[in-house]
Structure formats: structure tokens, C-alpha cells
Amino acid sequence: MALQSSLFDDAPTPTLGRLGAAHRRHLDESAWLDLLPGWATGADEVLATLLREVPWRSERRRMYDSVVDVPRLLRFYAEDEPLPHPLLTDMREDLSAHYARELGEPFVTAGLCLYRDGADSVAWHGDRIGRGREEDTMVAIVSLGSSRHLALRPRDGGASQRVSLGHGDLVVMGGACQRTWDHAVPKTSATVGPRVSIQFRVSGVR
Ligand SMILES: O=C(O)CCC(=O)C(=O)O
């Protein structure tokens, strides 16, 4: 996966913008998204570091009668593990401070996913392992690298929506979103390079 330097942006140092500039989109009366395009700038070097240094792993899962590779690579950073780049620590701190009143607890874990090209994807799901099954929570996602769509649809039927996530963009799924909506990153036939998704969650939610 070769990556040209300054492929996505040419700001000199990695910087995070103001979270107060995020725009809230209500999906329904109890689920919402906060959207902040370009929250991280100058993040080409961060992307290159993550691609090079994260110990990416493939996972396998049972599908009907066979076991298949999950079409993306993963690495989960638990609460006490150092994150693979200081900007990710800054992201987690800024998000925890900004959402402290509304969320009532800090973001602690970081799940990293690498979509190598348009054939990598994640199927419809909600983050309902652990407390996300019963309780409202927030999942903050920062996207680095090639743009991909995050699709969302209500679990009990209804039209899907999609959000384009480009280099440095932030989306926070909040309220009942994990319980009452599913999300997915569909495959694309467009020629796209690698995308790294960084998901920050609270303790006990996967
Ligand atoms: O790639 C993304 O941004 C979404 C990842 C996701 O939904 C998950 O890993 O649970």
C-alpha cells in the first residue's frame, strides 16, 4: 500500500480544529450524528505512521458453513494501552472534554480499522456488544485517507442515509444510534486507496 506524501493535505503539522464547530444532524427523535469535516488537518504523516506501524490483524468469522476473512484489517487499543500516534491521544482528550457533560464519562478505547481498497467493507451492524445494547452512548469516528461512505439505516425499517467521510473528518454517532440504527461501510467499485477509521468508545462498549 504505497502512499505518496502530501496525498491528502499539505498542512505542515497535525492539528485538531474546534469541536464546537460540529453540526448536529438528528436522525430521528432519539438518535443523532455530529459532523465535523476536516477536524484533523496536516494528518498525512499520521496516516502514514498508522499504515506503517500499527500491527494490523485480519479476523475471520463464521458465515453459514464456512469461515471467511473479515474484509478489513483491525487493531483494538484497550483503555490502558498507549495509542500509536500522539494525535490520537489528543483526539481522545478533546472529544472527552467536549462531550463530558452530555456523555457523562470519557472516551477510553480506540478501535482502528484499515480498509485497504474499495473491496474492504463492514456489514450492517450497531455497536451493541456490552452496554451499547441497552444504553445510549456515543461512538466518535475519525477518518483518515481515502473517502468512503458511512451508511446508516433504522433497525426497524426505513430509508437509509449516508455520510461521506474524507481525510480528517469526524462523525460522532450519539443518543440511541447504536441501539435503534445500524451502520455500514459498503464496498465501492471506485478506485480508492487505503482508509483508516479510528473509533473512540466509552468503557464497556464495542
Ligand atoms: O469504518 C468505519 O468508520 C466504521 C467502523 C465500524 O462501524 C465498526 O468497526 O464498528
Side-chain angles (χ1 to χ4, degrees):
M1 258 174 311
L3 197 74
Q4 281 169 258
S5 74
S6 289
L7 192 57
F8 295 103
D9 74 48
D10 56 5
T13 48
T15 309
L16 299 176
R18 223 174 37 83
L19 282 169
H23 162 75
R24 183 156 297 187
R25 181 198 292 185
H26 290 275
L27 295 168
D28 58 27
E29 63 288 340
S30 54
W32 51 262
L33 302 177
D34 273 355
L35 298 162
L36 185 50
W39 180 42
T41 51
D44 285 4
E45 171 265 321
V46 183
L47 173 63
T49 301
L50 298 180
L51 290 173
R52 195 177 55 240
E53 290 179 13
V54 169
W56 297 106
R57 296 175 188 154
S58 58
E59 280 187 1
R60 294 171 66 72
R61 70 181 162 92
R62 176 158 292 283
M63 201 161 152
Y64 307 109
D65 287 342
S66 50
V67 176
V68 296
D69 279 335
V70 172
R72 59 180 184 165
L73 301 180
L74 304 152
R75 173 69 161 90
F76 180 75
Y77 291 86
E79 306 189 16
D80 49 358
E81 276 188 89
L83 297 179
H85 192 286
L87 192 72
L88 274 58
T89 310
D90 294 348
M91 288 172 177
R92 188 170 58 185
E93 281 173 10
D94 281 13
L95 288 162
S96 293
H98 181 75
Y99 288 103
R101 286 243 311 262
E102 199 174 4
L103 183 58
E105 58 185 321
F107 292 98
V108 290
T109 64
L112 270 59
C113 303
L114 168 57
Y115 301 81
R116 292 157 290 190
D117 56 29
D120 275 357
S121 61
V122 65
W124 290 109
H125 70 284
D127 295 1
R128 290 189 283 272
I129 299 176
R131 291 190 290 138
R133 175 178 293 277
E134 314 287 346
E135 296 171 22
D136 284 6
T137 188
M138 290 184 200
V139 177
I141 299 178
V142 185
S143 207
L144 296 179
S146 291
S147 293
R148 297 289 296 265
H149 285 116
L150 180 73
L152 297 117
R153 70 180 183 197
R155 286 186 75 195
D156 56 6
S160 64
Q161 305 192 16
R162 62 181 201 176
V163 174
S164 176
L165 293 179
H167 190 49
D169 294 353
L170 168 72
V171 59
V172 180
M173 297 182 274
C177 198
Q178 301 308 326
R179 288 188 291 116
T180 58
W181 286 67
D182 283 333
H183 55 275
V185 176
K187 294 183 194 304
T188 173
S189 56
T191 305
V192 292
R195 165 184 182 253
V196 171
S197 160
I198 306 153
Q199 307 113 41
F200 296 103
R201 298 184 180 81
V202 301
S203 182
V205 174
R206 281 293 276 275

